[in-house]
Amino acid sequence: MDLTLIIVLVIALALFFDFTNGFHDTANAMATPIATGAMKPKVAVALAAVLNLIGAFLSTEVAKTISGGIIKEGSGGVQITPELIFAGLVGAIVWNMVTWLFGLPSSSSHALFGGLIGAAIVGAGIGAVDFLVVLDKVILPALIAPVTAGVVAYSATKLAYWITRRYDGRPDGRGGFRYGQIFSSSLVALAHGTNDAQKTMGVITLTLIAAGLQTAGTGPELWVVVSCALAIAIGTYSGGWRIIRTLGRGLTEVKPAQGFAAETSTAATILASSHLGFALSTTQVASGSVIGSGLGRRGSSVRWGTAGRIAIGWLLTLPAAGIVGAVAALIAGLGPVGILIDTVLGVGVVTLIFWLSRRNQVHSDNAVEPAPVQGQSEVAASARAVKIKKVKPLKKERTRKESA
């Protein structure tokens, strides 16, 4: 296949992955302020989109980790071809779409790494992957960051309730945290753009280096930064309501003080990781923070069944995306016909998932409905939400009291 054509295809696919990353990870910043009523759903995602766009311009350290770290450089340059990067992106996108369908806040970052690693092993051999970099910059942060964010969120929640303990039992005593959530969730959105948009920048830069169109060891070009920033911002604005429901209601019932503590912990962890060049999963950090805040509020409970499903998704992400990427790389090895087959299959899977999602739509109007209790179906949860709306006038005063 003509080199220019495959590069154009890879860049287009990378930007589509960036788009899926945006709507897949909107929940990281905006699930809790939407759940507590700090911001209206559509306003929240619009703000997140703008801040993702701005954040993408603040750093390129993570992009350099991907473009010049995970895949080794041999005597002839980077040991991966644009065709293999194309296959890796197919693996990442397919896994992103599957987890989105089930409302699982899995890691777009690890889906990308898994797809690239699987494709690289098939096409260039296991020696093409620098597993020390993978361990240092990907796996260890994946294990440490959620726990760290959870501990910080737990401590911050305890501190917030201790400082405001004089408001215990008073209606809306801690309602001021809603205003704090606007700031803290905005900081998470900014951090998300700083960390996640760079991953696509790194993939495009890796492609240009592999094709000999850019010098090895250099960072992303300005046009790459701009296009990736726009792609993730547009994806963020499109919603991601399924995962917003899971993080906002599925793990624990979030109150304003909890939400503020969770978002602040998430932002601090992500920004520190971006500065160090760690390709962190914002999803894992946000989930750890929500769980930590749930444990930190007296009388709150964590839905461990949902947390377990999310954890299984985390464990499966790298190998599952890697397997899909490896299969796509095998097919791509057939030449131009293989690339065409990969493209058709990828479009078919994405289209099928979108069609399946229409059977149980989640949108801005129902994303913050009460989450199903253990053993309860989503249909039953929706019915429960309808009943709650019918008695809304009777619950108004109670809602104010519970906001504490």
Side-chain angles (χ1 to χ4, degrees):
M1 179 175 284
D2 181 69
L3 182 62
T4 304
L5 179 58
I6 186 60
I7 290 174
V8 169
L9 283 174
V10 170
I11 292 173
L13 197 62
L15 293 176
F16 181 71
F17 167 78
D18 207 21
F19 172 84
T20 67
N21 190 346
F23 76 73
H24 195 283
D25 291 2
T26 308
N28 298 338
M30 295 303 170
T32 50
I34 290 173
T36 62
M39 283 190 282
K40 292 182 179 180
K42 291 185 178 179
V43 173
V45 298
L47 178 61
V50 172
L51 292 170
N52 269 199
L53 178 66
I54 296 171
F57 291 93
L58 299 183
S59 172
T60 58
E61 291 304 313
V62 175
K64 292 175 183 176
T65 295
I66 295 171
S67 63
I70 291 177
I71 307 300
K72 291 181 180 178
E73 295 181 12
S75 57
V78 177
Q79 298 185 49
I80 191 170
T81 63
E83 289 83 357
L84 294 178
I85 297 173
F86 180 89
L89 285 167
V90 170
I93 289 171
V94 167
W95 184 250
N96 253 8
M97 296 302 299
V98 169
T99 51
W100 167 79
L101 178 65
F102 290 102
L104 288 177
S106 70
S107 170
S108 298
S109 309
H110 292 175
L112 177 60
F113 301 141
L116 288 175
I117 290 169
I121 290 174
V122 166
I126 196 168
V129 180
D130 192 332
F131 287 100
L132 285 177
V133 173
V134 174
L135 178 65
D136 182 43
K137 298 284 189 176
V138 180
I139 295 178
L140 287 180
L143 297 175
I144 296 170
V147 176
T148 302
V151 171
V152 173
Y154 172 85
S155 304
T157 302
K158 285 286 188 184
L159 180 62
Y161 276 87
W162 180 79
I163 292 173
T164 59
R165 63 190 182 280
R166 64 185 180 279
Y167 292 119
D168 286 347
R170 290 172 56 180
D172 240 3
R174 297 185 177 91
F177 278 107
R178 284 198 177 94
Y179 300 103
Q181 278 191 277
I182 296 174
F183 168 77
S184 59
S185 61
S186 297
L187 192 59
V188 175
L190 187 71
H192 177 254
T194 303
N195 194 279
D196 277 43
Q198 291 187 58
K199 292 155 190 171
T200 307
M201 297 178 203
V203 170
I204 294 176
T205 301
L206 179 62
T207 303
L208 297 175
I209 292 172
L213 300 177
Q214 187 171 330
T215 305
T218 56
E221 301 284 345
L222 178 60
W223 68 268
V224 175
V225 175
V226 172
S227 58
C228 291
L230 288 172
I232 199 168
I234 294 169
T236 299
Y237 184 69
S238 69
W241 304 110
R242 290 174 177 273
I243 300 174
I244 285 176
R245 170 185 280 182
T246 301
L247 274 183
R249 295 290 190 187
L251 280 172
T252 186
E253 200 71 21
V254 181
K255 303 299 180 184
Q258 282 177 264
F260 178 77
E263 291 146 14
T264 304
S265 305
T266 298
T269 305
I270 295 170
L271 288 171
S273 300
S274 296
H275 177 70
L276 296 172
F278 293 142
L280 196 66
S281 165
T282 54
T283 303
Q284 292 181 352
V285 174
S287 300
S289 294
V290 170
I291 292 173
S293 70
L295 293 172
R297 181 171 71 88
R298 186 175 59 189
S300 179
S301 61
V302 174
R303 298 182 180 97
W304 292 109
T306 301
R309 287 175 55 229
I310 293 172
I312 291 172
W314 291 355
L315 292 174
L316 291 177
T317 296
L318 267 172
I323 291 170
V324 177
V327 171
L330 285 172
I331 297 173
L334 299 175
V337 174
I339 296 294
L340 179 62
I341 294 172
D342 274 342
T343 303
V344 172
L345 289 176
V347 170
V349 170
V350 171
T351 302
L352 175 63
I353 290 173
F354 271 119
W355 178 78
L356 291 173
S357 71
R358 295 181 64 83
R359 298 165 59 185
N360 178 28
Q361 290 190 351
V362 180
H363 43 75
S364 60
D365 295 330
N366 66 3
V368 292
E369 287 178 354
V373 297
Q374 192 110 18
Q376 182 184 41
S377 67
E378 289 192 3
V379 174
S382 297
R384 181 159 56 100
V386 171
K387 292 180 181 177
I388 290 173
K389 288 177 183 177
K390 287 181 179 179
V391 296
K392 187 176 180 182
L394 300 177
K395 289 199 66 181
K396 189 173 182 180
E397 186 64 27
R398 192 189 312 169
T399 301
R400 287 179 180 173
K401 292 180 181 178
E402 289 177 350
S403 69

